[in-house]
Amino acid sequence: MPPKKRKQHFVPQHLQKNFAIDDKRKRVRIYLLKSKRFIETPIRDNLQSSYFYGKSEKVETIFSDEIESPVSSTIDEMIKNPKKFMRKNKILDEETLRYFYTLRNRSLAISIILDEITDQIMQQWEDSTNPDNDNSQNALLKEFQETMVETHELRGLGALVEPIGESRDDIYNGKYMLVKSEKILYLSDKANTSVFPLSPYVLLILGNMVDTVKELFRNVQNHL
């Protein structure tokens, strides 16, 4: 029996709904970086790929039940009143930061990089001329194709891995800033690593990027 969730979103539907252009919150306008143009599309078909996290539905279920659902109300608070949220929450808790960490690591930009690595490794196997390695090479090639190319199971699991070392310090230092913009923000077909549009007017900035943005604001004010 095929899995029910064929369309698996690398940008959650609950986040996309904040950018909906219709009353029923089912359609969004998205900016395509490659072709530099806007399109309108149903959320169910947007920023998703067939079995992106694998055909077992294991990773998709973890994202939905354990990572997205607990944080959705927090995101609603951020959007509703950014200043009040920052006064109430001096730093972000790990549950919220983990949500954005997994979001950025399952983005389309990351998937493209993984696909390029996949192609390189598979090309190396195909170019191998050692006859003693034929059987093992064919077995590895088959396993790799089934796991990464067809089901992407490893890709989804990789997004759930906890950051370590400097990466962890950068992500889990709790530092954040909510910026209310006068200009309309659009969803992009690629996710940035430290900046997340939460709604058409609210931007979340994480980690060390906060200091960069604050310095930018100071420079602008000094020139006014």
Side-chain angles (χ1 to χ4, degrees), residues 105-117:
N105 280 340
R106 60 184 179 173
S107 72
L108 183 57
I110 298 299
S111 76
I112 291 172
I113 293 172
L114 286 171
D115 282 340
E116 290 174 353
I117 294 172

Side-chain angles (χ1 to χ4, degrees), residues 7-19 28 30 43-49 52-53 60 63 68 99 102-104 106-109 187-192 196-197:
K7 294 181 178 180
Q8 298 177 356
H9 292 74
F10 38 85
V11 174
Q13 294 185 72
H14 80 87
L15 187 55
Q16 293 191 53
K17 285 180 179 179
N18 298 329
F19 295 84
V28 292
I30 185 170
I43 291 174
R44 69 174 184 273
D45 299 327
N46 189 46
L47 299 174
Q48 59 82 27
S49 182
F52 187 77
Y53 303 117
E60 173 84 351
F63 278 142
E68 293 173 7
Y99 167 87
T102 56
L103 179 61
R104 77 185 192 180
R106 60 184 179 173
S107 72
L108 183 57
L187 278 176
S188 168
D189 60 336
K190 292 187 180 180
N192 200 302
F196 297 91

Side-chain angles (χ1 to χ4, degrees), residues 1-193:
M1 183 177 179
K4 298 176 183 177
K5 299 178 182 178
R6 179 177 67 82
K7 294 181 178 180
Q8 298 177 356
H9 292 74
F10 38 85
V11 174
Q13 294 185 72
H14 80 87
L15 187 55
Q16 293 191 53
K17 285 180 179 179
N18 298 329
F19 295 84
I21 56 176
D22 62 324
D23 293 337
K24 293 183 178 180
R25 302 180 77 196
K26 290 187 176 182
R27 297 182 63 82
V28 292
R29 194 175 187 217
I30 185 170
Y31 183 67
L32 301 177
L33 292 177
K34 191 172 183 180
S35 56
K36 296 182 179 179
R37 65 188 178 92
F38 288 102
I39 62 170
E40 293 183 8
T41 178
I43 291 174
R44 69 174 184 273
D45 299 327
N46 189 46
L47 299 174
Q48 59 82 27
S49 182
S50 295
Y51 307 122
F52 187 77
Y53 303 117
K55 293 182 178 179
S56 70
E57 296 188 11
K58 176 182 177 182
V59 177
E60 173 84 351
T61 301
I62 292 173
F63 278 142
S64 176
D65 297 347
E66 298 182 18
I67 294 179
E68 293 173 7
S69 295
V71 174
S72 59
S73 59
T74 302
I75 294 175
D76 289 343
E77 283 186 57
M78 290 179 175
I79 294 170
K80 187 176 181 180
N81 195 325
K83 288 186 178 180
K84 181 180 178 181
F85 184 90
M86 286 192 290
R87 286 196 301 268
K88 180 181 174 182
N89 303 276
K90 302 303 181 184
I91 63 173
L92 289 184
D93 61 272
E94 289 203 6
E95 190 174 66
T96 302
L97 290 165
R98 189 177 296 112
Y99 167 87
F100 287 103
Y101 170 77
T102 56
L103 179 61
R104 77 185 192 180
N105 280 340
R106 60 184 179 173
S107 72
L108 183 57
I110 298 299
S111 76
I112 291 172
I113 293 172
L114 286 171
D115 282 340
E116 290 174 353
I117 294 172
T118 301
D119 291 340
Q120 290 176 19
I121 294 175
M122 291 180 66
Q123 188 63 50
Q124 289 176 3
W125 284 338
E126 290 169 2
D127 292 343
S128 173
T129 57
N130 187 343
D132 296 332
N133 290 337
D134 281 349
N135 290 335
S136 59
Q137 177 182 310
N138 289 335
L140 283 170
L141 184 61
K142 183 175 185 296
E143 179 183 352
F144 203 80
Q145 283 177 320
E146 288 177 349
T147 304
M148 284 293 285
V149 181
E150 294 178 9
T151 71
H152 301 286
E153 195 75 40
L154 294 182
R155 175 182 300 163
L157 290 173
L160 295 169
V161 175
E162 291 288 344
I164 58 175
E166 293 181 6
S167 176
R168 179 180 175 84
D169 294 338
D170 183 33
I171 296 162
Y172 286 141
N173 61 14
K175 191 182 295 182
Y176 78 102
M177 182 166 63
L178 289 165
V179 178
K180 196 164 185 179
S181 171
E182 293 182 1
K183 295 183 178 180
I184 294 178
L185 305 169
Y186 291 97
L187 278 176
S188 168
D189 60 336
K190 292 187 180 180
N192 200 302
T193 56

